[in-house]
Amino acid sequence: MDLCNVLKIGSVNPTDDLSGLGSTTVRPSDQPLNHERCDPYDSKGFKAWALKGGCPSISAILGLFKTLVKKGFKVFLLTGRDEETLGKVTVDNLHNQGFIGYERLILRKAEHKGQGAILYKSKRRKELVEEGYRIWGNVGDQWTDLQGEYKGNRTFKLPNPMYFVP
């Protein structure tokens, strides 16, 4: 689910001790992403599911999120979800799942419709960099979350056995 499209951006020194953060972002070696075992992204099916507001968090991602917030990182959540139709339900779902304290949730606005995921997310990350943020890491469940420009110092790919964005 998109909740794992977590962009960790912060204003900490590069010399800060960030040890321990990597242990919460483990990609199980026995669960490789295999596009032959999952379906392409179905926007209508995803929207119907997301509108129910019961999207579960991934416990390791929630733990990482809380650790980053506690350490003073400004955490941005960047998603391709449509702001108009999924904005409120996404905010409510994030809160209900424990994602409290993020700096900003960035949803797809009407003027971004039609942009591919890589272009859309690259442009949003560029805007954040232009605002003065440094992107320390980027976590996503789709390769399109981690490609393009302004990806950050580190990228972390999570498995998603349900669908892939081609």
Side-chain angles (χ1 to χ4, degrees):
M1 121 120 243
D2 296 38
L3 296 183
C4 32
N5 292 337
V6 179
L7 203 63
K8 288 158 302 305
I9 301 173
S11 55
V12 297
N13 295 322
T15 57
D16 285 351
D17 179 16
L18 302 178
S19 63
L21 294 181
S23 65
T24 60
T25 56
V26 175
R27 177 176 179 221
S29 61
D30 63 337
Q31 295 180 13
L33 181 63
N34 181 345
H35 290 220
E36 295 174 10
R37 295 190 309 174
C38 60
D39 295 322
Y41 179 72
D42 171 11
S43 62
K44 290 180 183 176
F46 181 82
K47 182 178 176 182
W49 176 71
L51 281 170
K52 294 178 183 177
C55 307
S57 66
I58 298 171
S59 61
I61 295 301
L62 182 58
L64 173 62
F65 170 84
K66 289 180 176 184
T67 299
L68 291 168
V69 169
K70 185 176 178 181
K71 288 186 175 261
F73 280 82
K74 295 186 185 317
V75 178
F76 291 78
L77 307 176
L78 173 58
T79 179
R81 288 182 177 205
D82 178 65
E83 183 176 56
E84 184 180 333
T85 57
L86 296 174
K88 179 163 178 16
V89 71
T90 299
V91 169
D92 292 346
N93 196 154
L94 285 166
H95 187 269
N96 292 338
Q97 293 297 315
F99 287 89
I100 299 167
Y102 54 86
E103 185 73 10
R104 189 182 324 157
L105 170 63
I106 303 168
L107 296 143
R108 189 182 291 261
K109 296 180 186 303
E111 63 263 23
H112 304 137
K113 286 188 179 181
Q115 286 183 348
I118 295 171
L119 178 63
Y120 164 71
K121 291 186 177 183
S122 290
K123 286 186 174 190
R124 303 299 73 79
R125 292 188 301 252
K126 179 182 180 189
E127 291 169 358
L128 292 169
V129 169
E130 289 173 348
E131 290 177 30
Y133 295 101
R134 291 181 285 169
I135 302 175
W136 290 103
N138 184 353
V139 177
D141 69 334
Q142 300 296 318
W143 287 114
T144 55
D145 297 332
L146 309 174
Q147 296 172 332
E149 298 182 84
Y150 303 92
K151 298 177 287 203
N153 293 353
R154 298 280 309 269
T155 59
F156 302 89
K157 172 68 176 76
L158 301 173
N160 182 335
M162 302 304 291
Y163 68 89
F164 70 95
V165 176

